[in-house]
């Protein structure tokens, strides 16, 4: 960790305005090696990341790695699980990567990951889900899986506002609910524990905006808002409504909603279709509506045709990003059965937790699933292993370094170093498709060659 202050100052990534990174050719990137298997994984993964940069830019660009401590390694050296120096480094250098960390048992900090997310307000948990040919999968058409999940990271039931069954707080809450006339909705008040689920317009807007911007920047075709608004109308339904409203107000020229696409599609197949027939086509229950409802629907249809339909003749709207929504339970089915329909997913914290782990299982599981926690406004980005420290394999040079390798790939793409990122994907494809894999894939793949953690890194580099 020896570096001269001058060199570091030159190499620091800075922000050129909200979300606009200024990346020098030799940026200082912060890393936490991680506990348990973290050391093996980092040794292998950092070699892959460095090799990709070297091969892509022939020495013109190079990452200056700066190690900071967190987890057990930090505790052993400093007596603290998450030293202030580490937080300051992530804050100052903006971009970094982190191996798995031991969660302190019975300590003050519940989870180091959660702490970092909260301190830096990393409101997006970004989880790409894509299948590499040859990776064991439980589904028939894994090649259809290629989507990116934007999970809201700061709100929802994860805010941690919960009260224990029988506590004074629950009794007070019940009293309050009584005043509001809804206490009888609590089926077993004497033993109920209670939690609070905050979901805000601001929280939704910044997440959905990041997802739409990502879709535009990466030529994705759709953004799906996944929610449970049919049951939780104000929280999850609010997420959906605020999401659509943001899409229409901030990205009117770049997006169409799915509903708008129905209206415009009807007009495409029949340019003479009247507004009324179009309204009937998108709402089969039209005849059962009151005349006021019918009028509102006709106004909506006419409004859409006027606002976007000016270009419908040459079908330009078909090239726009489609913004749609799906109920969470259906979405969990459809990522399995109709993976192709998902491209970018924006969702609340709890839905996103289920969705991203379930999705990871489609494409090889936690040994290979990458992730990052991001604040697109301040520029802070921490790529991370999505698995834990797997202590029983520590020091055996055995586990799959894929999660950190691919987290590194996400980080390179975030820096705009796409050529290096592409090489990592190419190397990964090459190694896996020729059956050179670590134990987790080996035991599920007939005829494959078993590699160590370090050897798998070398195989990726060889195939770049
Ligand atoms: P774990 O993810 O460490 O391990 C569960 C199992 O997953 C392992 O036994 C192994 O079979 C498999 N696995 C994990 N990483 C793998 C890899 N790279 N390649 C192949 N297989 C892999 O979960 P755990 O055992 O429940 O937790 C162990 C420790 O990790 C705990 O202290 C926990 O708090 C911590 N943890 C940290 C994070 C994080 O830092 N992001 C996440 C989860 C758990």
């Amino acid at each position: 960790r020896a570096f001269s202050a001058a060199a570091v100052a030159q190499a620091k990534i800075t922000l050129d305005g909200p979300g606009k990174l200024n990346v020098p050719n030799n940026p200082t990137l912060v890393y936490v090696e991680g506990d348990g298997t973290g050391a093996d994984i980092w040794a292998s993964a950092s070699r892959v990341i460095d090799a990709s940069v070297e091969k892509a830019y022939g020495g013109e660009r190079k990452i200056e790695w700066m190690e900071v401590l967190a987890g057990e390694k930090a505790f052993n050296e400093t007596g603290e699980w998450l030293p202030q120096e580490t937080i300051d480094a992530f804050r100052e250098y903006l971009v970094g990567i982190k191996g798995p960390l031991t969660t302190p048992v019975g300590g003050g900090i519940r989870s180091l990951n959660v702490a970092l997310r909260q301190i830096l307000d990393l409101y997006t948990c970004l989880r790409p889900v894509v299948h590499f040919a040859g990776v064991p999968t439980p589904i028939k058409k894994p090649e259809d899986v290629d989507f990116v999940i934007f999970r809201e990271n700061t709100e929802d039931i994860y805010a941690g506002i919960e009260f224990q069954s029988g506590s004074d707080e629950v009794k007070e809450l019940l009293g309050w609910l009584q005043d509001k006339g809804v206490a009888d909705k609590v089926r077993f008040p004497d033993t109920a524990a209670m939690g609070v689920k905050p979901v805000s317009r601001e929280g939704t807007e910044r997440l959905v905006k990041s997802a739409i911007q990502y879709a535009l920047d990466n030529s994705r075709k759709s953004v799906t808002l996944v929610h449970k608004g049919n049951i939780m109308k104000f929280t999850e339904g609010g997420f959906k409504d605020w999401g659509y409203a943001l899409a229409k107000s901030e990205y009117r020229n770049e997006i169409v909603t799915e509903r708008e696409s129905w209206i415009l599609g009807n007009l495409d197949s029949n340019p003479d279709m009247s507004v009324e027939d179009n309204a009937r086509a998108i709402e089969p229950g039209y005849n059962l509506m009151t005349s006021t409802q019918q009028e509102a629907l006709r106004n909506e249809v006419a409004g859409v045709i006027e606002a976007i339909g000016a270009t419908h003749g040459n079908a330009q709207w078909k090239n726009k990003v489609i913004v749609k929504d799906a109920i969470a339970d259906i979405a969990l089915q459809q990522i399995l059965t109709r993976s192709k329909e998902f491209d970018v997913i924006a969702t609340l914290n709890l839905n996103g937790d289920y969705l991203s782990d379930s999705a990871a299982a489609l494409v090889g599981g936690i040994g290979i699933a990458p992730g990052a926690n991001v604040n697109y406004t301040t520029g802070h980005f921490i790529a991370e292993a999505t698995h834990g420290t797997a202590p029983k394999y520590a020091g055996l040079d055995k586990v799959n370094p894929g999660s950190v390798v691919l987290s590194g790939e996400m980080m390179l793409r975030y820096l705009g170093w796409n050529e290096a990122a592409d090489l990592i994907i190419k190397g990964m494809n090459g190694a896996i498709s020729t059956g050179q894999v670590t134990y987790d894939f080996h035991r599920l793949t007939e005829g494959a060659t078993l590699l160590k953690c370090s050897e798998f890194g070398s195989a990726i580099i060889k195939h770049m």
Side-chain angles (χ1 to χ4, degrees), residues 100-103 113 366-367 385 387-393 399-400 439-440:
L101 298 176
T102 307
T103 302
N113 300 312
I366 52 174
H387 54 71
T389 57
K392 67 179 170 183
Y393 298 128
V399 296
N400 194 338
Y439 85 100
D440 49 331

Side-chain angles (χ1 to χ4, degrees), residues 336-354:
L336 306 177
T337 56
R338 295 202 238 157
S339 321
K340 227 181 185 143
E341 289 177 22
F342 295 91
D343 208 341
V344 175
I345 292 173
T347 192
L348 302 98
N349 211 335
L350 180 61
N351 298 336
D353 194 3
Y354 297 152

Side-chain angles (χ1 to χ4, degrees), residues 161-175:
I161 312 168
E162 270 204 311
F163 302 106
Q164 210 165 14
S165 156
S167 65
D168 289 344
E169 288 87 350
V170 166
K171 284 179 197 139
E172 278 176 46
L173 256 174
L174 279 167

Side-chain angles (χ1 to χ4, degrees), residues 3 8 12-13 28 30 66 88-95:
F3 48 78
V8 170
K12 208 190 279 180
I13 296 174
T28 298
V30 179
M66 177 168 120
D88 292 345
F90 276 116
R91 183 173 281 135
E92 191 170 339
Y93 292 93
L94 298 180
V95 181

